Amino acid sequence: MSTYDVIIIGAGPGGYVCAIRCAQLGLKTAVVEGRDTLGGTCLNVGCIPSKALLHASHSLHEAQHNFPKMGLKGKSPSVDWKQMLAYKDEVVEGNTKGIEFLFKKNKVDWLKGWGSIPAAGQVKVGDEVHEAKNIIIATGSEPSDLPGVEVDEKVVVTSTGALELGKVPRKMVVIGAGVIGLELGSVYARLGAEVTVVEFLDAITPGMDAEVQKTLQRILKKQGLNFVMGAAVQGTQATKTKAKVTYKLRKDDSEHVLDTDVVLLATGRKPFTDGLGLQALGVDMAPRGQVKVGRDWQTNVKGLYAIGDAIDGPMLAHKAEDEGMAVAEQVAGKHGHVNYGIIPGVIYTTPEVASVGETEQTLKDTGRDYKVGKFNFMGNARAKANFAGEGFVKILADKNTDRILGAHIIGPSAGELIHEICVAMEFGASAEDLALTCHAHPTYSEAVREAALACGDGPIHM
Ligand SMILES: Cc1cc2nc3c(=O)[nH]c(=O)nc-3n(C[C@H](O)[C@H](O)[C@H](O)COP(=O)(O)OP(=O)(O)OC[C@H]3O[C@@H](n4cnc5c(N)ncnc54)[C@H](O)[C@@H]3O)c2cc1C
């Protein structure tokens, strides 16, 4: 039996970041991971492989559509799907091996296998029981299921199967117009599949700024994605190579069937805590399966903490990472903190979408007086030059104090631009503070400054 200051169960972005920070803070640390590789959902079957395929398919789109406009002539590239998957796998391997290196560098032990918690202060891996002063649950999440939809990961797939299809399908039906469905739907649409997204609600990407939702849907439609909105999927019927998706339109209860080669079930994810033994330990759980924690991420069992997708909040890698660092500080006797009001959310479609803080809807709901500063990328020289003039930056600021309350960007590099606003918000900046900051020309960032100017006396280039 070995004894640790901290044992973390799960080596996703929550768990591995937590482990590295614990080790940096001088704690004897181990991580239990059942997968063959480190990095969790994010590095193995989530953020990283999906972004590799988005990058590859976006490059194809650029070559097909924008190269000729810039005088770059020649045959546009064709798709070697096997090679594209090999590229994606190489990216994944490089990243997961990187975490192994960081564990060695920081002297974090990897206890290989699936862990459980037989008693407070103990973690069992295989036949071995290890003792730990602190145990951190970072076991992440798994795809949600939908009644009537049986996943075989070949014809009816979750995001995991969608990252390694045998070939690019001719037709794909995506159930759910959330981030994962739209990103992977975009990949296959760019590669030539006829993609239809079936969504229960009347708007895509629930919870996002309504203007962004509409703009993104319009742009994706232009890129060839079909949308069936307000549709409740009743079920799927699959053979070895084809499937039928039956749905009912909520407005009139009429039933419809879509024939397809592949169905991607992308209706969200649920916390994964199977096999840990939490019920026997008496750990409080939320009705939707999350581990309940207090402000210090501690459960109702002393010394047992939980972070990341396994607890409440947005299921995002960087939220898990922040919690990982904060809980490490906490168990080391410091004061870990996560500002849940400033966690950006990004959709890596083209154009990208990024948002942080309040939406107009949440401000209306709380009756807060606010003003809107908006700037279209069509007024941004760099964006126009790069065929990226679609979209806008929208900053929401308090009407009286000018303090920035939120921002919503759809446009080029939105996922990078949003951080300027996150930093500004962390420092309690006003829109004027951003507007008075010199921004290099020509950059996409100038559009952020112009939106900030639009909160005051007005933008220059619009
Ligand atoms: C297709 C896709 C794309 C995504 N893209 C993005 C994105 O672009 N940006 C973003 O922020 N988020 C994205 N996400 C979400 C992101 O992957 C998750 O929010 C993040 O991985 C959660 O981190 P985590 O550490 O909580 O858990 P996970 O990454 O799920 O890691 C948990 C780990 O725990 C292990 N584990 C579970 N139980 C045990 C046990 N009993 N013993 C040992 N090991 C165990 C699992 O094997 C797993 O490796 C995406 C997700 C998917 C599916």
Side-chain angles (χ1 to χ4, degrees):
M1 181 188 285
S2 35
T3 305
Y4 290 93
D5 292 317
V6 187
I7 295 182
I8 298 147
I9 308 180
Y16 83 70
V17 166
C18 180
I20 292 169
R21 177 58 99 225
C22 283
Q24 287 171 338
L25 294 172
L27 301 171
K28 189 177 178 216
T29 308
V31 175
V32 187
E33 175 54 61
R35 263 179 222 273
D36 293 337
T37 47
L38 301 172
T41 303
C42 173
L43 265 57
N44 289 283
V45 290
C47 322
I48 297 305
S50 61
K51 266 79 250 177
L53 291 182
L54 278 158
H55 176 65
S57 59
H58 174 68
S59 304
L60 174 69
H61 186 269
E62 284 289 291
Q64 286 171 337
H65 297 271
N66 292 334
F67 279 18
K69 294 185 203 159
M70 294 184 285
L72 297 170
K73 298 214 164 156
K75 229 172 91 196
S76 64
S78 58
V79 178
D80 178 344
W81 179 236
K82 270 207 177 122
Q83 178 55 33
M84 200 179 282
L85 289 182
Y87 149 72
K88 181 247 329 168
D89 291 341
E90 210 176 297
V91 171
V92 168
E93 194 185 335
N95 280 280
T96 57
K97 284 264 167 22
I99 307 300
E100 255 185 88
F101 163 79
L102 290 174
F103 273 13
K104 279 189 193 126
K105 182 179 161 204
N106 288 284
K107 301 192 173 48
V108 172
D109 288 348
W110 174 6
L111 307 174
K112 294 186 184 181
W114 299 99
S116 61
I117 310 168
Q122 292 188 349
V123 174
K124 188 167 180 224
V125 188
D127 295 331
E128 278 195 58
V129 177
H130 306 267
E131 300 228 307
K133 288 184 205 139
N134 303 282
I135 298 170
I136 294 160
I137 299 166
T139 48
S141 60
E142 60 178 350
S144 301
D145 30 35
L146 189 69
V149 179
E150 205 174 309
V151 171
D152 59 17
E153 294 296 12
K154 292 216 158 20
V155 173
V156 182
V157 298
T158 65
S159 55
T160 304
L163 293 167
E164 50 185 23
L165 292 178
K167 60 179 183 192
V168 177
R170 211 170 48 81
K171 285 185 178 187
M172 174 181 256
V173 171
V174 178
I175 305 176
V179 178
I180 292 175
L182 295 183
E183 287 185 0
L184 291 172
S186 285
V187 165
Y188 285 100
R190 290 174 197 162
L191 297 177
E194 186 187 318
V195 175
T196 303
V197 182
V198 183
E199 166 59 46
F200 182 79
L201 299 172
D202 296 321
I204 64 171
T205 59
M208 276 228 162
D209 175 87
E211 220 177 339
V212 169
Q213 287 176 328
K214 282 196 200 111
T215 309
L216 178 62
Q217 191 177 354
R218 181 177 52 73
I219 294 173
L220 292 177
K221 267 188 194 164
K222 235 170 49 182
Q223 292 175 5
L225 272 80
N226 307 304
F227 287 91
V228 182
M229 305 302 292
V233 168
Q234 306 295 299
T236 53
Q237 270 184 310
T239 64
K240 274 192 178 151
T241 52
K242 297 240 171 275
K244 283 184 190 300
V245 179
T246 309
Y247 66 87
K248 267 190 185 173
L249 284 182
R250 289 196 295 127
K251 63 177 181 204
D252 58 11
D253 236 17
S254 59
E255 197 166 281
H256 305 260
V257 178
L258 289 168
D259 288 306
T260 186
D261 302 315
V262 168
V263 181
L264 165 57
L265 179 63
T267 47
R269 295 179 65 82
K270 57 181 183 190
F272 179 78
T273 54
D274 292 1
L276 288 175
L278 299 187
Q279 204 179 353
L281 267 178
V283 176
D284 283 347
M285 305 292 284
R288 287 179 52 235
Q290 293 99 343
V291 181
K292 272 197 192 172
V293 292
R295 287 171 68 99
D296 59 354
W297 300 277
Q298 194 161 193
T299 68
N300 59 318
V301 175
K302 201 167 176 302
L304 181 65
Y305 300 77
I307 56 170
D309 281 9
I311 66 168
D312 196 20
M315 286 185 165
L316 293 170
H318 42 285
K319 178 255 191 192
E321 289 185 35
D322 275 25
E323 288 173 344
M325 276 196 278
V327 81
E329 308 262 335
Q330 207 70 37
V331 298
K334 298 176 152 221
H335 298 283
H337 174 71
V338 175
N339 184 351
Y340 286 100
I342 309 184
I343 294 184
V346 179
I347 310 178
Y348 297 85
T349 44
T350 301
E352 286 184 357
V353 172
S355 62
V356 65
E358 305 286 350
T359 62
E360 287 198 64
Q361 194 55 51
T362 57
L363 291 171
K364 279 179 194 148
D365 291 346
T366 51
R368 186 145 182 192
D369 284 343
Y370 68 94
K371 54 187 171 177
V372 179
K374 197 175 152 197
F375 187 79
N376 290 331
F377 277 101
M378 268 320 282
N380 177 272
R382 186 73 181 275
K384 270 198 298 204
N386 295 357
F387 310 106
E390 277 187 307
F392 55 83
V393 179
K394 179 175 176 178
I395 293 177
L396 307 174
D398 187 283
K399 196 164 190 173
N400 304 308
T401 65
D402 195 37
R403 188 182 178 134
I404 301 170
L405 303 173
H408 306 278
I409 308 178
I410 174 163
S413 299
E416 305 292 340
L417 298 181
I418 198 72
H419 296 104
E420 173 178 3
I421 297 167
C422 295
V423 172
M425 286 175 73
E426 283 288 0
F427 282 85
S430 63
E432 190 186 28
D433 290 327
L434 268 191
L436 289 176
T437 305
C438 184
H439 284 61
H441 174 78
T443 57
Y444 299 139
S445 304
E446 287 175 290
V448 174
R449 183 193 199 179
E450 294 267 18
L453 281 163
C455 288
D457 294 332
I460 302 297
H461 294 92
M462 207 162 70

